[in-house]
Amino acid sequence: MSSHTNYLNAKKGFASWALTIDHKRIGLMYLVSIMSFFLLGGLFALLLRTELLTPAHTIVDAKRYNQLFTLHGAIMVFLVIIPGIPASLGNFVLPLMLGAKDVAFPRINLASYYIYVLGAIVALSSLFVGAIDTGWTFYTPYSTTTDGGVVLMVTAAFILGFSSIFTGLNFIVTTHKLRAPGMTWFRMPLFIWGIYSTAVIQIMATPVLAITLLLLIVERTLKIGIFDPVLGGDPVLFQHFFWFYSHPAVYIMILPGMAVVSELIAVFSQKRIFGYKQIAYSSIAIAGISFLVWGHHMFVSGQSELVGMIFSALTFLVAIPSGVKMFNWLATMNQGSISFKTPMLWALGFFFLFAIGGITGVFLGTLSVDVHLHDTYFVVAHFHYVMVGGTFMAFMGGIFYWWPKMTGKMYSEFWGATSTLMVVVGFNVTFFVQFLMGAQGMPRRYYSYLEQFQIYHQISTIGSYILGLGFVTAMITLLVSLKKGQNAPANPWKAASLEWTHTDVIPIEHNFHEQPVVTEGPYEYR
Ligand code: HEM
Ligand SMILES: [Cu+2]
């Protein structure tokens, strides 16, 4: 089988990749780029944690520390987690799952990749004019007055927004227009529902960020008072604009994670997913509610008490569709024949860590509690449980799941499982103690701290080394499989969706030898 032509060997040479409009190749190029930035962002994280081994100066000074956490945050958010699953796995899998030859606009797809690369270059070039130290949130008036490459970094985020919009647009049109005959909306795998909901947020929220950032650039370069009180502007306005995008953006980050996990739980339980429609609709509900809760980031920014109470109440609503998903996944596993293969281990890791991340989000959404916890390590722990424990775990699970389809190779189960375990253990050691010290008042974004917090910081730092090692082990496991792995069968996990049942071991350039016709749902296992 593997001697046949497939999308990897159909065309050869650098140009055949650089100019490809094959969604699978574009997905792979995104995957490699995103993982490279993940390693870079991770390196910055380890430097941050190493600095925090002692209460005062360890390896860098205060200014450098501020630059490091800004770079870490900006890279992880804008170059890793937001494009993450949709641009890489989504691109690779979505047309295959729908029974389509490609996305609706293959050239726009390629353009989105190059816009991403351009954005990344602009972001990193900000280092040469002096690294930015505002935090990834770019809060005014500090960001309008501090020196360094603020304009470049903000321009980068602006550019990256277009990449995100292009991807979202492509997925929406593809889902509406290119489904195979018989692929009704409720026969679509839940991965598609999740990616589709994400795409809706991508195209509706991203322009708000773009305009906000543009205003910031205008203010900095032309000195027009928009956000800076000295010029007659309003700094809280920035926070409103910023979070009007960035709260929905956290669902741009988590919905694709949930989308992957829905597939993994069903396939590795070999059971029809429980509550298909509820899971599908809850994605849409999350996308909708995500636009109504941004004020929970501003409980202590001087908004009125009444507004605070309303945002707090609205925030609780998000817990409902998220809970619906969690319970439906649990019910799917119940009485299933679960196989604990590496992708499933990542999914179970997601389940455990995301539960903690989600529930602590409800703590933070509680107005009275957040007044105490705001800007402490409790917040840092919360969003890492969601972004890394949730999204990134699911991302890894998805990579291990679709790896045989992407490369035609199987990896070592032993090393796959070992790396998952290292990540789960290292993650908890790193971040659980941050809840404790946060609740005791350790503020975030500080390079020095009171001695009473040292033991927590040291545990956290040691955890981060285990965590880092776990991710590196996972990546090595995959890379080694390219050389040494056994050849994969066409459907190693006995899945029932089209990308496994109707393609070659490694799909051909236009995916299917003949147009698949769909006669049943995606979770009918035999
Ligand atoms: C791999 C292990 C990781 C470690 C050890 C780590 C560690 C840290 C540390 C020490 C900070 C600075 C906290 C402060 O001083 O307030 C931080 C901030 C942050 N991290 Fe991570 N991180 C990791 C992975 C990630 C990932 C994958 C993401 C992806 C979304 C992420 C997103 C963020 C964000 C958004 C911030 C906030 C930056 C800011 O406050 O400006 N981190 N992280
Ligand atoms: Cu939020």
Side-chain angles (χ1 to χ4, degrees), residues 38 41-46 48-49 52 65-66 69-78 80-82 134-137 253 376-377 380 383-384 387-388 392 427 430-431 434 443-447 460-461 463-465 467-468 471:
F38 175 70
L43 181 71
F44 290 143
L46 294 179
L48 286 163
R49 282 300 342 152
L52 294 170
Y65 182 84
N66 293 352
F69 78 64
T70 302
L71 281 169
H72 165 72
I75 289 175
M76 288 302 196
V77 169
F78 295 112
V80 178
I81 292 283
I82 289 184
T134 61
W136 74 278
T137 46
M253 305 178 199
T376 67
Y377 261 79
V380 178
F383 70 69
H384 281 91
M387 291 174 172
V388 186
F392 213 81
F427 182 86
T430 309
F431 291 106
Q434 297 187 2
R444 66 191 283 210
R445 297 185 176 177
Y446 276 66
Y447 110 116
S460 183
T461 301
S464 73
Y465 298 153
L467 179 58
F471 279 123

Side-chain angles (χ1 to χ4, degrees), residues 31 35 89 342-343 346 392 395-404 406-413 415-416 419 470-486 493:
L31 185 63
M35 282 300 156
L89 298 179
T342 303
W346 289 104
F392 213 81
F395 193 9
M396 295 301 290
I399 295 171
F400 275 88
Y401 176 57
W402 282 297
W403 189 256
M406 294 191 277
T407 66
K409 292 293 182 183
M410 302 302 286
Y411 44 79
S412 152
E413 273 297 327
W415 285 108
S419 65
F471 279 123
V472 170
T473 308
M475 289 183 199
I476 292 177
T477 303
L478 291 172
L479 292 179
V480 166
S481 80
L482 294 178
K483 274 246 171 290
K484 300 217 170 125
Q486 292 185 339
W493 319 119

Side-chain angles (χ1 to χ4, degrees), residues 425-444:
V425 170
F427 182 86
N428 281 302
V429 176
T430 309
F431 291 106
F432 197 82
V433 284
Q434 297 187 2
F435 283 127
L436 305 180
M437 64 173 142
Q440 292 170 31
M442 172 70 213
R444 66 191 283 210

Side-chain angles (χ1 to χ4, degrees), residues 243 247 250 293 296-297:
W243 287 110
H247 186 84
V250 309
V293 302
H296 62 209
H297 294 276

